Amino acid sequence: MSHIPSVALNNGVLIPQLGFGLYKVPGEDVADLVPAAVDAGYRHFDTAAMYGNELALGRALGAQLEDGSLSREDFFITSKVWNDQQGYDATLRSFDDSMIALGLDVLDLYLIHWPVAGRGLYLETYRALETLYREGRVRAIGVSNFQVEHLSRVLEERDVVPAVNQVELHPWLQQRDLRAFHARHGITTEAWSPLARGALLEDPILADVAAKHGRSVAQIALRWQIQEGIVVFPKASSPERIRQNADLFGFSLDQEDLDRIVGLDRDFRSGSHPDQVK
């Protein structure tokens, strides 16, 4: 039994609040890292067509299911349609390709990877996601890297409210206006790059809070996001770090800690701004 709590999406589907991110994880490493993550309690794995490791993840999951101690229902798997596959028909084809690679009949969550608004296809792409959802091929649908303007158009012109918006989020980029919009519309916030690709690990305020609790800076940053109700999935490349990132539920940040972290917001992006992705 995993010790990681779940949160309910807007359609009632439960998603583990802590997951394992597979961005830039080479396929040859997945076979070792996924079992280490499962041993540490992870059941939520986040991949994408663009990551090039869906096939490796599918094989690793199949290996986990072989002994019968875990079932498919124990896992929550997310994938995403890439920018050059946007459009109604192309998205459906991309989804089929992802499902073949993953070896799954039903996906837990499918996202549009970026809005790429200049191409003008994200509404048609989302319509394809709605089709997959209505057909029961995916349990929940959503978006990634969408800003308020993109979300507003989806809410106005499509039928299914996105279950999730996955965005870069960490103590240096807290996305409070966007998260407030999510809260008003029942959209769960997911955080990618929750440690700003390591940039915030030397932050003196976070280091001070970490010393107070006898924890690492990474654990403090991740625990802050857990207490904010955010679904988070750090990447890690060693079993020790995988275990450390999962050890977030035996302590809490107090109000003084939270107030100090609020003051760290500086609109710092470690990745691309959505407007820059074409």
Side-chain angles (χ1 to χ4, degrees):
M1 179 68 69
S2 175
H3 62 282
I4 295 170
S6 294
V7 298
L9 301 178
N10 57 20
N11 65 351
V13 168
L14 296 178
I15 182 172
Q17 195 177 3
L18 178 70
F20 188 80
L22 288 162
Y23 176 58
K24 288 191 174 179
V25 176
E28 58 267 25
D29 293 345
V30 171
D32 294 325
L33 294 179
V34 167
V38 171
D39 287 345
Y42 293 84
R43 299 293 183 267
H44 173 185
F45 292 89
D46 182 276
T47 186
M50 188 272 285
Y51 298 172
N53 52 29
E54 289 175 314
L55 181 61
L57 175 59
R59 289 173 174 169
L61 290 172
Q64 288 294 310
L65 299 177
E66 282 181 357
D67 69 0
S69 60
L70 292 170
S71 68
R72 168 66 183 94
E73 290 71 27
D74 291 316
F75 290 98
F76 192 100
I77 309 300
T78 299
S79 194
K80 314 174 192 77
V81 59
W82 185 237
N83 303 341
D84 63 4
Q85 294 298 307
Q86 284 207 29
Y88 185 82
D89 292 332
T91 295
L92 296 179
R93 289 193 296 269
S94 182
F95 179 82
D96 287 341
D97 291 342
S98 290
M99 296 298 277
I100 290 169
L102 289 165
L104 300 177
D105 295 320
V106 177
L107 189 65
D108 297 293
L109 178 63
Y110 198 44
L111 307 178
I112 302 175
H113 209 142
W114 293 88
V116 284
R119 300 188 67 191
L121 293 173
Y122 67 82
L123 290 173
E124 281 299 293
T125 302
Y126 195 80
R127 183 166 68 88
L129 268 60
E130 290 180 318
T131 295
L132 294 167
Y133 179 61
R134 293 190 178 105
E135 291 176 348
R137 302 190 67 197
V138 60
R139 297 174 66 218
I141 58 174
V143 297
S144 182
N145 301 300
F146 275 44
Q147 299 179 89
V148 169
E149 62 191 278
H150 311 125
L151 289 170
S152 296
R153 287 201 65 195
V154 170
L155 293 173
E156 290 168 3
E157 301 187 39
R158 299 265 57 92
D159 298 325
V160 179
V161 176
V164 160
N165 187 20
Q166 182 184 119
V167 296
E168 181 175 357
L169 198 151
H170 45 73
W172 288 358
L173 181 67
Q174 298 185 19
Q175 301 266 30
R176 292 192 174 274
D177 290 344
L178 181 59
R179 286 161 55 200
F181 184 92
H182 292 169
R184 290 195 297 273
H185 296 281
I187 300 169
T188 295
T189 303
E190 286 191 344
W192 62 261
S193 194
L195 303 176
R197 299 184 181 177
L200 55 67
L201 296 182
E202 303 300 322
D203 185 284
I205 299 297
L206 293 175
D208 192 47
V209 176
K212 170 182 171 180
H213 290 275
R215 298 282 178 159
S216 71
V217 170
Q219 287 174 312
I220 296 302
L222 295 171
R223 179 64 201 182
W224 168 75
Q225 294 177 76
I226 292 292
Q227 288 187 215
E228 291 285 300
I230 296 161
V231 175
V232 62
F233 37 89
K235 173 190 170 185
S237 56
S238 71
E240 179 182 2
R241 185 59 58 83
I242 288 170
R243 288 191 297 271
Q244 185 185 93
N245 287 347
D247 185 16
L248 305 177
F249 304 100
F251 75 104
S252 295
L253 303 177
D254 61 31
Q255 191 58 52
E256 179 186 12
D257 302 328
L258 298 174
D259 291 343
R260 296 181 77 187
I261 293 172
V262 165
L264 297 178
D265 196 3
R266 60 188 72 176
D267 200 30
F268 172 87
R269 291 184 184 270
S270 65
S272 299
H273 190 287
D275 290 342
Q276 298 172 341
V277 177
K278 307 298 182 185

